[in-house]
Amino acid sequence: MLAPPSAGFRGLLPLLKPHRRRLVAGGLCMVVFVLSFPLLAWLAGQLIPAIGAGDLQRVLRAIAAALGVFLVQKAAQFGQDTLMAGPALQVSQELRRRLFARLQKLDFNALEKLSAGDLTYRLTEDADRVGEVIYKTIQDSTPSALQLLVVLGYMVWIDWPLALATLLLAPVVALLVSSFGARVMAAAERSQQQVSDLAALLGEAIGGLPLVRAFAAEPWLQQRFDTEIDLHRRARYRTLKLLALQHPVVGFIEAAGILAVLLIGAARIQAGGLTSQGFSSYVAALLMLIDPIAHLTTNFNELQQGQASLGRLRAIEAEPIEVADRPDALPLTTVRGGLVLERVRFGYDPAQPVLHDLSLTIDPGQVVALVGPSGAGKSTLFSLLLRFNTAQQGRVLLDGHDLANLRARDLRQAVALVPQQSSVFSGTVAEAIAFGRPASESQIRAAAELANASGFIEALPAGYGSRIEERGSNFSGGQLQRLAIARAVLGNPAVLLLDEATSALDAEAEAAVQRGLERAMAGRTVLVIAHRLATVQEADRILVLERGRIVEEGSHDGLMAQGGRYRDLCDRQLIRVEA
């Protein structure tokens, strides 16, 4: 986990511990690199008077020595940069890895509130910016700060009154940089939020382009997009304008300072407190301050932007995660599939329960259909069975074991879900069915056969090795749904949850998927969410839910005979009692 927000980038220092050896080696190279600057300034003090005196021998000796120092300095700089780059990049990689791992553990209620485009931006652009700050801090800012200190120390050694006059200008520059930095950070936060909003809109737009065209809403979408990119342009322009203003203002202060130093130096030479050779060396050292100051100024601005990105990454850390397994969690071995709910009460907002004191017993191998209006609690019940959420009161039992006492991984291997909208990752067909689980070719083929998917898979050019494109765009809805069924049954689950698995399909595709479902359901406990009641008439039991309570229960014929709520729902869908 990341450190608290108050720690800033210091909270990332523990991530550098595994790379101590490389950092120490890079630090030694950094010391050599930094110490070469006062030596070069001293050689400049030797060279400039020699040039003025026309002493060619002294000039050649000074130049040869300077070349030797430059050679050592650049070799040390190369060692410093390469040795420091590895740890910095690995910290960035580890940061992104930890955040993605955290993202996979987020509580589903929190996850559903987060924009996919915004999360993508955080884990790409924001993480890259934080990594860049880490790299520049180690590889650039640290040696620049050391160079500044060492060169200033050398200047004090040459002539402390002149150095003191020079240092009086430093607080002015630092104050200006700090002031600009705070404003840059605020502008960067606004800019990054606009980019996140733009990314979120792009995600919605790309996924919804067919719908946009169907409603001829292209002008409306273009207008929204134009508005977002204009807001992004304005936010970004404000940041760039601040940076553009900072450079000339700070540069003017630096130039004025150098001219003032030249004036004071001339006065010191005239007073006999400083030699021309010493002043030449001092000026060379002074010029060596410009580059590290410029680097530190630029890096400070990037640090401020990086702080904004780090704060956005820490926001992911602040989101709640799903309930972890208990230390004494029980493993699941043989699962029969019996389910019991004992007075279960649950609400996403505890003050507004979705399920009210729900009690239910389902025997192993039963097929139970859940029907009722939207918001009745059907999907919530599924989330409890998968332990995506935990009941605030009561218990949910699988074969007599409280789900809260089981390992989540074991539970989700025993309880499989076929969602309404089948989502498959890009890759091969075999990989989509295996879905990260160890499975042999024969097991994958058996699952596909059970899901009535083997026929169309084997007809593909590469069979099980055929590629699935992003969002499964090169497969039909019925094919994707049968792949989802194969994925669900691969691990031989005891309980199968079907969330309106055929609602989005045409009649032909639905028939093919239904055959796959019938095979997959055999010998398993099955819960089916259905709004199309014609698909659940053969269920062993039908439960009618309203406002989180079971209001009716029975077989199709029995409930139709009662003439209650289920009969009313069937009448609305033109399902009649057989004569």
Side-chain angles (χ1 to χ4, degrees), residues 321-503:
I321 62 173
E322 68 173 348
V323 177
D325 291 339
R326 294 177 178 176
D328 57 348
L330 302 173
L332 270 177
T333 52
T334 303
V335 183
R336 297 176 60 244
L339 294 170
V340 176
L341 281 75
E342 297 179 346
R343 301 183 63 83
V344 169
R345 179 185 177 90
F346 173 79
Y348 300 100
D349 178 356
Q352 298 178 330
V354 177
L355 299 177
H356 301 265
D357 299 322
L358 190 67
S359 295
L360 173 64
T361 299
I362 301 173
D363 295 330
Q366 273 196 328
V367 177
V368 177
L370 307 176
V371 303
S374 298
K378 302 182 296 295
S379 296
T380 300
L381 181 56
F382 274 21
S383 76
L384 292 178
L385 293 173
L386 287 163
R387 218 178 80 185
F388 292 164
N389 292 294
T390 304
Q392 278 118 18
Q393 292 181 20
R395 297 193 303 167
V396 182
L397 308 176
L398 173 61
D399 288 350
H401 300 293
D402 190 336
L403 299 192
N405 296 328
L406 299 176
R407 294 194 304 217
R409 187 176 185 84
D410 291 347
L411 170 65
R412 291 164 190 168
Q413 288 174 345
V415 180
L417 172 70
V418 179
Q420 179 178 1
Q421 296 293 335
S422 55
S423 174
V424 295
F425 283 67
S426 56
T428 67
V429 170
E431 289 169 344
I433 296 174
F435 204 49
R437 296 165 293 182
S440 66
E441 182 180 346
S442 61
Q443 289 173 318
I444 291 172
R445 288 179 179 274
E449 181 71 31
L450 197 61
N452 194 31
S454 57
F456 83 81
I457 293 174
E458 290 167 2
L460 296 171
Y464 287 84
S466 299
R467 298 289 300 179
I468 298 175
E469 295 177 3
E470 185 180 359
R471 298 192 304 275
S473 58
N474 55 333
F475 284 75
S476 70
Q479 290 172 333
L480 291 175
Q481 200 68 339
R482 280 179 278 170
L483 289 179
I485 297 169
R487 178 179 64 197
V489 300
L490 176 67
N492 193 27
V495 180
L496 198 59
L497 307 179
L498 307 178
D499 187 0
E500 199 70 49
T502 62
S503 63

